[in-house]
Amino acid sequence: VRGQLVARYSGPRGGAVDLGDSYIALPESRLDFSGALNRQLNLNLVSHDLSDFLPAANFGAAKPETSLPLTLQGGSARLQAEVVGNLSDPRISGHLGVNRFAVEGRSFDNFGLDLNASPSQAEIQNGTLTRGPLRAAFNASVGLAKWSPAPTSRLAANVTLRGATVPDLLSLAGESDIPASGDVTSDIHIDGTYGNPLGSAVLQVVNGSAYDQPFNRIYAQVNLADRLIALAPLQITTDAGDL
């Protein structure tokens, strides 16, 4: 690890610590930062190998991991962020982008999102994920109370999937060992509160199989209402007939 910290303290009247062009560098990652503490900080993180952060991920772990589930395959991870206000009550905005990476060994092309966060709310906008024909778009927001959601916190999320496959989704969920396949389209809309989410989802899987059992089509319309999940309808089509 190497780095440089440039700082100037203006004294008890101003009470500000101004940072010049400072940085922390790891073998394949670098964080540049500047600004003034308790006023505005500008952060720019670039990594070409996320294993630089493996020691931090294993800090305090009873059984340290030997690798991270997300790895870069010749790509890069970039985070640009701005922290405005007092560090005890900050307003954070930024953009995260990752390209040419793998999750649980499955390759993806691009991932990106815009983030806004404060002690009272967190929001994701312009979320995207691509892999070949896969196109996913998403956004979400949740109310917070001192950085933690409460049961009555407002919740909203929207996800659109096109050109996805079942293995794509399983790898993102950390369940890549489940023997299932198929092409997936889905539209998900969630609102309500953190303790009682409401909404609906439409899911379709075609030309797939699960545990060596083939099917032509699975179609499900899911409704969430008052802590109840209802499937209406659920249709499964196979060569042997419909369910």
Side-chain angles (χ1 to χ4, degrees):
V1 179
R2 56 189 174 86
Q4 173 179 281
L5 175 62
V6 180
R8 182 180 62 187
Y9 179 55
S10 60
R13 288 188 177 183
V17 178
D18 295 317
L19 300 176
D21 293 329
S22 304
Y23 74 92
I24 298 173
L26 300 170
E28 296 293 336
S29 308
R30 178 177 171 120
L31 172 65
D32 290 277
F33 53 98
S34 61
L37 294 179
N38 292 324
R39 291 183 182 176
Q40 177 175 324
L41 289 175
N42 300 304
L43 309 173
N44 185 34
L45 172 65
V46 180
S47 179
H48 298 281
D49 187 349
L50 297 178
S51 64
D52 282 347
F53 305 103
L54 184 59
N58 282 329
F59 182 78
K63 184 179 179 181
E65 299 290 338
T66 58
S67 63
L68 297 174
L70 191 151
T71 58
L72 299 176
Q73 297 180 322
S76 62
R78 298 176 181 270
L79 173 64
Q80 294 177 310
E82 181 181 83
V83 184
V84 177
N86 194 290
L87 292 181
S88 63
D89 185 27
R91 302 295 187 272
I92 303 170
S93 62
H95 176 79
L96 172 65
V98 188
N99 62 28
R100 289 182 289 167
F101 65 98
V103 179
E104 298 289 348
R106 191 165 188 83
S107 299
F108 292 88
D109 298 328
N110 289 283
F111 173 82
L113 58 83
D114 295 321
L115 170 68
N116 292 286
S118 71
S120 61
Q121 182 171 348
E123 182 180 39
I124 292 173
Q125 295 179 324
N126 305 315
T128 59
L129 175 68
T130 64
R131 178 185 187 271
L134 182 155
R135 295 292 183 272
F138 58 94
N139 59 70
S141 64
V142 62
L144 303 174
K146 296 182 179 179
W147 296 107
S148 297
T152 57
S153 297
R154 297 300 303 176
L155 175 69
N158 297 283
V159 180
T160 300
L161 279 175
R162 298 292 183 271
T165 67
V166 172
D168 290 337
L169 303 185
L170 291 175
S171 66
L172 291 172
E175 301 290 346
S176 56
D177 294 333
I178 295 177
S181 64
D183 300 321
V184 181
T185 60
S186 183
D187 292 283
I188 303 171
H189 306 284
I190 303 295
D191 55 20
T193 64
Y194 184 77
N196 185 23
L198 310 174
S200 63
V202 175
L203 173 69
Q204 178 173 264
V205 185
V206 298
N207 302 323
S209 67
Y211 295 94
D212 298 324
Q213 298 299 314
F215 59 85
N216 299 328
R217 178 176 180 261
I218 295 177
Y219 176 87
Q221 185 170 335
V222 184
N223 293 297
L224 285 75
D226 197 20
R227 300 181 178 87
L228 178 66
I229 299 176
L231 295 174
L234 171 62
Q235 301 172 346
I236 301 176
T237 303
T238 69
D239 289 339
D242 299 341
L243 174 64

